[in-house]
Structures are given as C-alpha cells and as structure tokens.
Amino acid sequence: MKHSSTRARLIAATTLVASGALVLGACSSSKTAAPTTTTTTTAPVKCPLSGVDAPSGGVPARPALPVKIDNYNAARPQSGLDFTDIVFEEPVEGGITRYVAVFQCQNASSIGPVRSARNIDIGIVGQLGTVPLGHVGGIDPVIANIKSAGITDLDLGHNPQAATHPAGRYAPYDTYTSTAALYALVPNMTTPPKPIYTFTTPVPTGTAITSAHVPFSGQSDVTWNWNASSGTWLRFYNGTQPDNNADGTQNQAANVIVQTVHVTYGPWVENAGGGLEVQAQLYGTSGPAMVLRNGVQITGTWSRDSVSSPTIFKTSSGKTITMAPGRTWVELLPDTQTPTVTPAPASSTTTTTLKK
C-alpha cells in the first residue's frame, strides 16, 4: 500500500509538470504568432498647374482649358478668375489688356466676358500641352495660325450651345460660358497637362516687399499688395481700387510673375479703329523677370526654348525660381514699361531695374 501511494503521487506530480509545460508553450507560441501592423502613408495627389492638393484625391482627366477674358473697363467685373490655376495678362491693341484664364483642377460655373483670340495666345498656351482655346471670334489670320498650331478652336460663335448671355450685360461684353460647357465640346481630350512650374513650400531668398506696381497703361494700372493673413498677393487698380470678381471675391494669387517681353505691332489691323495686332516673342528668346511669392521679390530672368516647352525662371546666379503652391498670375509686361516695388522696411517706392 505504501508503494502504491508513493507511485500515485509521482504520477500526479509528473502530470502537473507536463500540463504546466503545455500552458507555457501555448503562451509562448501565441506571443510569437501575433501579427505586426504596418502603416503606409500616401502622399496627396497635386494639381499639375497649381501644386495644391487635387480635388477628391485625383487630378481631373482633362487638359488645361485656356479661355480669353476681356479686361476693358466696361468688361469688369469678370467672372471665373477666382477658379483658375493660372492667369496670363497680355497686352493687346489700344493699351488695354486681356486675360488667358487657365482652368484645369477647378470648375467655374460662369466665365466671362469671353472675347476674341489674339496671335500672342499661341505662344502663351503652347507650353500647356495639347489644349482647346475658348474664345469668341478673331481675325482670319489669327484663327488660321491657331489651327495650324494644333490648338483646338472652341469659338463660342460657332458653338452657341456652350454660351450664355446674362441679363444686364450688353454686347460685346455679354458672352459667358463655363468649364462644364467647354469641356463637353471636347470629350475625347482626357490628358492632364504636365507641370510648368516647380512648387516648394520653403521660401527662396528674396527681398521683403509690401507691394508691386505693374503699369500696363491707364486702362490697366495694376498694384499687387502682400496680405500676410491670406498668404496671397491682392490685386488692385490705380493703387486703391480692389479688383473684384462678379461674385465679390478679390483677385489674388500665391505667385505673381512679372515677365518683361518685347512687343511689336502689326502686320494686321485688329479692329475698326485701326489698332494693329500686338505681337510678342515668347519662346526662342529670354528676358528679365521678377517673381513675387510669400511676401518677397526674387529678381532674375526668363527663358524658353520652343513653343511647346515651359518658361524657365532663374535667379541671377542661375538657380531655378520655385513657386508657392496656389494660383500663379503672369504679367506679360511690355519692355517699354518698368515695374516698381515698395520694400517692407521702408515707405519709399524703389524702381526695379530689370536687365534688358
């Protein structure tokens, strides 16, 4: 009986040890098999022409859409400029200016007043890739050149279904359109443009300024004032008059480029008053430029190899001038005019002499 009792105790102890080993083994196996979690962060997709986050996480499958908008006094206030990626202000006959308003990442329900095409438009839009051009008419040699350049001609005079005529507007300042109406005319054009600027958040070295004066003419006497609260340059006429859109939004830009260009006149008569077509060589050449961003002025030069290549802006030391994410407004200022800036620490206006 004594041997039997001792044997029973040994068997019980051995069973207990084995059970403990199984429990420990199970715990160890459970820890080893625990899955690891990996977090992948995807960088937001950027709009190619503005460098800001693309709407709904993706760039729209459509080309850049340049539209000609009038800037004569009677044409103001315009509609749609506050939904652009880029605006080019170009000189035309009579000392007035017009806009090539470029849309791509945003939609605008009202754009206008839309006016006629000019030969200078070809050099402007060529750097945007294969594009349609929204406008209303143009003289025969200009339209022929536009078509020869491979630009899809969206003349609202021939596409009345894409035009509207708001109440209270009178000819020739009464033709309007929208991004939806114009893109509907080119459903097979689905390739977004490539970036034409390099965007960075860090501010390049420059001179702090509070404003810049860009004197096209008495019709378009432009001042850009830096607004630290919005982080943009606000646009004014004659120094104090806000340049507002029809919806009340003041025109503003993250970047203002003053690109000095050489202009000539002719050979074609553009209007009944005898005004000659304004021509400007925008590629195969170079010239002075200044870039305004983040409250600073960066002076340098511009150059462009061909009609299809982008305009390159560099400092005097040869470094590429980068843009801030947001809208860019390009002032194609004739070399007969000189821009001026007001430095931030002083109250006096200084003349910016750009090397010609």
Side-chain angles (χ1 to χ4, degrees):
M1 291 292 294
K2 184 176 181 180
H3 291 293
S4 177
S5 176
T6 301
R7 185 179 180 185
R9 285 196 299 270
L10 285 173
I11 292 173
T14 301
T15 302
L16 182 61
V17 171
S19 298
L22 288 172
V23 172
L24 288 173
C27 291
S28 175
S29 174
S30 176
K31 288 181 180 179
T32 303
T36 57
T37 302
T38 302
T39 301
T40 303
T41 302
T42 303
V45 178
K46 302 294 183 180
C47 293
L49 298 180
S50 64
V52 301
D53 291 353
S56 304
V59 175
R62 60 193 191 186
L65 175 62
V67 183
K68 291 302 301 294
I69 298 181
D70 202 350
N71 192 34
Y72 189 60
N73 285 344
R76 302 170 187 160
Q78 297 92 342
S79 296
L81 293 173
D82 46 337
F83 294 95
T84 54
D85 290 333
I86 307 173
V87 177
F88 294 89
E89 184 169 14
E90 62 182 22
V92 295
E93 66 282 350
I96 64 175
T97 64
R98 284 190 180 170
Y99 298 130
V100 177
V102 183
F103 303 86
Q104 202 279 324
C105 249
Q106 300 184 79
N107 294 312
S109 60
S110 180
I111 303 171
V114 183
R115 293 301 304 276
S116 56
R118 293 292 185 273
N119 211 58
I120 190 176
D121 301 337
I122 298 170
I124 291 173
V125 307
Q127 61 192 315
L128 300 172
T130 302
V131 298
L133 174 64
H135 67 96
V136 179
I139 60 176
D140 290 344
V142 168
I143 299 303
N145 286 346
I146 286 173
K147 293 179 178 179
S148 296
I151 298 168
T152 300
D153 182 23
L154 299 187
D155 187 341
L156 294 179
H158 300 310
N159 296 278
Q161 72 274 25
T164 59
H165 302 277
R169 285 284 188 169
Y170 303 95
Y173 314 111
D174 66 333
T175 303
Y176 284 68
T177 188
S178 67
T179 51
L182 290 177
Y183 277 122
L185 298 176
V186 287
N188 294 326
M189 299 184 74
T190 58
T191 303
K194 295 179 180 179
I196 63 172
Y197 305 123
T198 300
F199 297 98
T200 61
T201 301
V203 183
T205 301
T207 303
I209 64 171
T210 59
S211 67
H213 180 218
V214 187
F216 279 97
S217 67
Q219 289 286 337
S220 188
D221 187 28
V222 178
T223 296
W224 291 94
N225 290 341
W226 171 245
N227 185 287
S229 297
S230 64
T232 61
W233 299 91
L234 301 182
R235 184 178 160 95
F236 294 83
Y237 284 117
N238 304 314
T240 58
Q241 178 186 349
D243 177 21
N244 291 341
N245 287 274
D247 62 8
T249 303
Q250 186 171 1
N251 279 316
Q252 55 192 287
N255 311 287
V256 177
I257 299 174
V258 182
Q259 181 179 344
T260 299
V261 298
H262 181 65
V263 301
T264 58
Y265 298 87
W268 314 305
V269 175
E270 180 56 53
N271 54 37
L276 297 176
E277 182 84 13
V278 174
Q279 310 278 1
Q281 186 65 35
L282 301 179
Y283 53 91
T285 187
S286 61
M290 70 177 181
V291 174
L292 313 179
R293 60 164 291 185
N294 300 99
V296 301
Q297 170 208 24
I298 307 155
T299 58
T301 60
W302 67 270
S303 63
R304 186 171 163 198
D305 292 336
S306 67
V307 67
S308 61
S309 61
T311 306
I312 305 299
F313 299 91
K314 292 188 176 183
T315 65
S316 56
S317 63
K319 186 176 181 180
T320 298
I321 301 175
T322 60
M323 306 298 161
R327 180 177 301 115
T328 297
W329 198 294
V330 184
E331 306 282 25
L332 296 173
L333 186 67
D335 57 9
T336 54
Q337 303 297 102
T338 303
T340 59
V341 299
T342 301
S347 58
S348 61
T349 301
T350 62
T351 299
T352 299
T353 303
L354 300 181
K355 194 183 265 186
K356 300 179 181 179

